Amino acid sequence: MPVNLLDFDLKQLTDFVASVGEKPFRARQLMRWVHHFGESDFERMSDLAKSLREKLAQEAVVAVPKAMSDSTASDGTRKWLLDVGAGNGIETVFIPETSRGTLCVSSQVGCALECAFCSTGRQGFNRNLGVAEIIGQLWWANRALGRDVRSESANGSRLITNVVMMGMGEPLTNFDNVVTALRIMLDDHAYGLSRRRVTVSTSGIVPNIDRLREECPVALAVSLHAPTDELRDRLVPINRKWPLAQLLAACKRYVEAVPEDAEGPDPAALGVKWKRKGAPRDFITFEYVMLAGVNDQAEHARQLLEVTDEVPCKFNLIPFNPFPHSGFERSSPEAVRRFQEILLGAGVVATVRRTRGEDIDGACGQLAGRVNDRTRRSERRETEMRA
Ligand code: SAH
Ligand code: SF4
């Protein structure tokens, strides 16, 4: 079986080229061809010796999932449903904005965590995505968006400037594959994204927040959604395993961390207690989905300020994206505004996420939900919730 070069970070690619008798710099060249230029045909990798190109053609491939559908919303949001075999689809969404372009990447087929308001959670868990399937989403989107990625846009930058792991799945329960894919995103020979422009979103897998801090600190978003354990236990069931106090302590540790490869003087030597140069972000982004009458009252906002008091953070309020049989409703714009104003009034940054790509089901597992939900689990769930 040929190996898929998209599965390898630079170190693994270096081991691979060594195994076929080549020097380490070949790995860097290959990394550039495959990721930077988006090339999958070894014949076209013109600065590699012919003998190496032939060897590669025998022993390796550059293979990504194929697109089952490709749709563009009226606001420019573009969504691909990628075929990962056995009738399963995963989705990748590109969100263009004036000063940046964000790609929302999936980490699993389905999700095991069953958050009450999440359409991916309703589908149940199918499997983890491999490294090539995760990084393949970025590879694919760069090609699809950039026509020929070799002609980078006029200012020399790519269309995709940011990546958020906010598609289907819980990235921190597919830890090793996600971290390898993150390393490729950060690698200067591949995509060269800065740690601040790559965000992992988690529902709160506490031990792996600590591992991420140690192994590959990137920006961290945490799906909070409730200010008390009682409410969060219901909305985000993983809270029963790692309750708020543990989660918030891990968030605090995360921003205090200074990665080993951080440049500049040791913050301790400067008497700085936390978050200095090289930290992936100076704050945690708390995501908070606004569910009418459930978690959107003034009292919830005040409790939220209290429990997050010691964590440098900002809030991103997300209007709930309704889907059939969800059992929830989106908070009114007035309720969202009131909630936001309480946070702002306490000096905490709070933004409201603009809903994008609604005419193509641009959000959170919805298109793939239609493809994958053959078990009718969503209908069953609603019946259970009513009962
Ligand atoms: N599993 C990770 C990342 C994927 S979900 C996590 O839970 O953080 C990305 C974000 O979308 C999370 O904040 C999640 O809570 C939110 N989300 C899920 N379903 C949603 C819905 N129907 N409407 C709005 N946001 C939703
Ligand atoms: Fe999984 Fe995130 Fe959906 Fe929860 S919100 S079910 S963790 S994808």
Side-chain angles (χ1 to χ4, degrees):
M1 276 287 279
V3 296
N4 188 353
L5 296 189
L6 289 180
D7 275 321
F8 298 152
D9 63 15
L10 185 60
K11 186 177 174 301
Q12 294 163 326
L13 202 55
T14 308
D15 293 344
F16 168 74
V17 298
S19 77
V20 295
E22 296 283 339
K23 297 218 168 68
F25 79 95
R26 294 291 181 201
R28 295 193 290 274
Q29 276 180 315
L30 262 176
M31 201 84 180
R32 278 185 78 76
W33 276 114
V34 172
H35 293 287
H36 188 77
F37 294 128
E39 186 56 75
S40 56
D41 181 353
F42 298 123
E43 254 327 291
R44 290 170 54 167
M45 301 185 180
S46 49
D47 55 0
L48 302 184
K50 192 165 189 342
S51 58
L52 173 57
R53 296 199 310 252
E54 281 165 3
K55 233 185 293 181
L56 286 169
Q58 280 169 7
E59 310 217 6
V61 289
V62 177
V64 289
K66 299 273 175 310
M68 284 148 90
S69 75
D70 175 350
S71 38
T72 305
S74 48
D75 65 7
T77 301
R78 188 158 166 192
K79 175 160 169 165
W80 297 272
L81 184 66
L82 301 178
D83 182 357
V84 289
N88 287 311
I90 51 154
E91 57 191 10
T92 305
V93 181
F94 175 66
I95 305 155
E97 289 171 292
T98 1
S99 57
R100 62 180 175 190
T102 304
L103 192 72
C104 179
V105 167
S106 295
S107 56
Q108 298 179 318
V109 183
C111 181
L113 300 187
E114 301 199 43
C115 298
F117 50 82
C118 174
S119 134
T120 306
R122 289 288 172 90
Q123 293 164 42
F125 176 66
N126 188 301
R127 68 175 176 85
N128 281 330
L129 293 179
V131 176
E133 291 169 322
I134 300 171
I135 201 69
Q137 297 170 63
L138 180 55
W139 191 93
W140 172 270
N142 260 314
R143 286 250 303 208
L145 291 166
R147 294 93 23 201
D148 178 355
V149 285
R150 264 168 279 196
S151 60
E152 293 180 355
S153 64
N155 62 8
S157 61
R158 292 179 193 243
L159 287 170
I160 300 172
T161 59
N162 294 60
V163 173
V164 294
M165 301 285 314
M166 291 185 188
M168 299 169 70
E170 168 49 57
L172 295 189
T173 59
N174 183 14
F175 189 86
D176 291 342
N177 291 346
V178 164
V179 163
T180 303
L182 294 174
R183 287 204 180 105
I184 300 171
M185 293 175 201
L186 302 178
D187 195 311
D188 282 340
H189 304 288
Y191 301 95
L193 294 170
S194 86
R195 292 179 188 283
R196 289 163 181 257
R197 289 178 175 271
V198 176
T199 301
V200 166
S201 173
T202 180
S203 55
I205 311 296
V206 166
N208 287 354
I209 292 178
D210 287 321
R211 277 183 73 194
L212 188 68
R213 184 194 60 180
E214 271 152 35
E215 293 182 30
C216 193
V218 291
L220 187 67
V222 172
S223 295
L224 213 51
H225 307 319
T228 62
D229 282 324
E230 192 199 355
L231 183 56
R232 197 164 189 270
D233 280 352
R234 268 170 51 207
L235 298 178
V236 185
I238 197 69
N239 193 67
R240 295 173 202 156
K241 188 156 184 190
W242 290 294
L244 277 171
Q246 289 185 34
L247 175 58
L248 294 167
C251 291
K252 212 171 144 203
R253 289 193 292 276
Y254 198 86
V255 285
E256 282 166 1
V258 176
E260 271 186 15
D261 61 356
E263 291 165 18
D266 178 359
L270 301 174
V272 177
K273 283 215 195 80
W274 54 269
K275 60 167 185 174
R276 278 299 101 186
K277 198 167 179 179
R281 270 292 192 203
D282 292 344
F283 56 86
I284 300 285
T285 301
F286 287 126
E287 296 161 281
Y288 196 94
V289 64
M290 300 293 293
L291 304 166
V294 176
N295 66 352
D296 65 346
Q297 303 298 301
E299 164 204 357
H300 297 122
R302 285 191 288 267
Q303 290 170 331
L304 208 48
L305 286 167
E306 252 171 59
V307 292
T308 58
D309 188 37
E310 291 189 7
V311 184
C313 65
K314 62 176 238 186
F315 282 88
N316 193 213
L317 307 177
I318 315 174
F320 170 62
N321 276 298
F323 55 93
H325 315 288
S326 76
F328 292 101
E329 280 170 33
R330 182 182 285 185
S331 302
S332 69
E334 297 73 53
V336 176
R337 203 169 331 111
R338 235 182 307 127
F339 201 94
Q340 182 187 23
E341 273 164 13
I342 295 172
L343 301 177
L344 292 174
V348 174
V349 179
T351 51
V352 178
R353 187 174 297 170
R354 272 173 66 207
T355 47
R356 298 290 305 254
E358 286 195 284
D359 45 334
I360 53 164
D361 281 346
C364 311
Q366 295 185 10
L367 174 54
R370 286 200 196 140
V371 177
N372 294 341
D373 190 1
R374 297 203 197 78
T375 60
R376 306 233 148 247
R377 183 163 156 177
S378 33
E379 279 92 340
R380 278 204 327 261
R381 249 314 261 285
E382 197 193 29
T383 321
E384 282 162 20
M385 280 172 42
R386 283 215 182 108

